[in-house]
């Protein structure tokens, strides 16, 4: 690693330690106690007056409830991603790089939910969705739920479910875990 890169990483890690400590609302003394360090040692680590030692980084990562990988991560090149557009289903889809099993989908719906229980889906996984505009109807098992603009719903997808618009178009943003995404992909392939 070139010396400049090492210095940038060193500075970044020190800033992260301080930012994570402050985000928890902890004083130097509180984090030092949790990490079994003296407050002066922690202060010198945060201010760049003491060398970063691997054993201290591991201890600090644990005390801050993070991992060593996250504490020293530098990959921030791919911050912005573009959606995959599925015009046939009126939606956009983004994969979450940090968790490849998760997918975010934005979908415009104009049709009401199916009126036949045989068209409801059930599959392993979990879904979370928020209505961005309009009103959605979520059929969940034997329940019919209205989800208004800015309301969210979260449910296990083993319950038979379907969603549609009520009273005009609605836009929904959904987050699917790996199993829920696969279940929807299989269902769409069968249509």
């Amino acid at each position: 690693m070139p010396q400049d890169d090492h210095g940038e990483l060193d500075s970044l890690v020190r800033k992260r330690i301080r930012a994570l400590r402050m985000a928890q609302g902890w004083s130097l003394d509180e984090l030092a106690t949790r990490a079994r360090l003296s407050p002066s040692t922690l202060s010198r680590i945060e201010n760049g007056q003491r060398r970063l030692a691997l054993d201290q980084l591991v201890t600090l990562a644990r005390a801050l409830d993070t991992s060593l990988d996250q504490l020293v991560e530098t990959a921030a090149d791919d911050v912005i991603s573009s959606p995959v557009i599925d015009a046939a289903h009126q939606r956009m889809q983004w994969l979450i790089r940090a968790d490849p099993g998760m997918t975010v989908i934005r979908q415009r719906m104009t049709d009401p939910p199916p009126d036949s229980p045989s068209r409801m889906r059930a599959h392993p996984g979990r879904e979370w969705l928020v209505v961005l505009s309009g009103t959605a109807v979520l059929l969940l098992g034997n329940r019919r739920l209205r989800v208004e603009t800015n309301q969210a719903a979260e449910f296990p997808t083993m319950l038979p479910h379907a969603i549609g618009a009520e009273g005009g178009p609605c836009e929904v943003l959904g987050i699917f875990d790996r199993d829920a995404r696969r279940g929807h992909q299989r269902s769409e392939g069968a249509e």
Side-chain angles (χ1 to χ4, degrees), residues 9 12 16 69-70 72-79 97:
L9 176 60
L12 178 65
R16 278 190 185 143
D69 287 347
Q70 289 176 324
V72 300
E73 179 181 28
T74 60
D77 297 338
D78 296 333
V79 173
R97 287 187 192 99

Side-chain angles (χ1 to χ4, degrees), residues 2-73:
Q3 190 62 31
D4 286 348
D5 290 348
H6 177 72
E8 287 178 28
L9 176 60
D10 186 85
S11 175
L12 178 65
V13 170
R14 293 172 192 280
K15 287 176 185 174
R16 278 190 185 143
I17 291 169
R18 184 173 197 279
L20 289 168
R21 174 179 62 79
M22 306 259 314
Q24 294 286 354
W26 295 340
S27 67
L28 276 168
D29 290 338
E30 287 173 292
L31 178 56
T33 299
R34 291 171 186 271
R36 296 188 175 111
L37 297 170
S38 72
S40 64
T41 297
L42 178 57
S43 176
R44 290 192 315 266
I45 288 172
E46 284 187 1
N47 294 319
Q49 299 167 349
R50 183 178 176 113
R51 180 180 68 82
L52 289 171
L54 183 58
D55 61 332
Q56 290 172 333
L57 286 177
V58 170
T59 302
L60 283 165
R62 281 191 195 123
L64 290 163
D65 195 28
T66 191
S67 68
L68 182 59
D69 287 347
Q70 289 176 324
L71 199 58
V72 300
E73 179 181 28

Side-chain angles (χ1 to χ4, degrees), residues 78-79 81-84 93-105 128 173-178 181:
D78 296 333
V79 173
S81 62
S82 296
V84 173
Q93 176 176 307
W94 299 264
L95 295 177
I96 298 176
R97 287 187 192 99
D99 187 346
M102 302 293 285
T103 303
V104 177
I105 294 178
W128 178 92
L173 186 71
I175 300 176
F176 299 78
D177 70 8
R178 173 178 286 129
R181 186 183 77 226

Side-chain angles (χ1 to χ4, degrees), residues 130-136 147-152 170-171:
V130 63
V131 176
L132 300 174
S133 66
T135 301
V147 188
E148 306 280 340
T149 300
N150 296 326
Q151 287 185 321
C170 72
E171 259 192 311

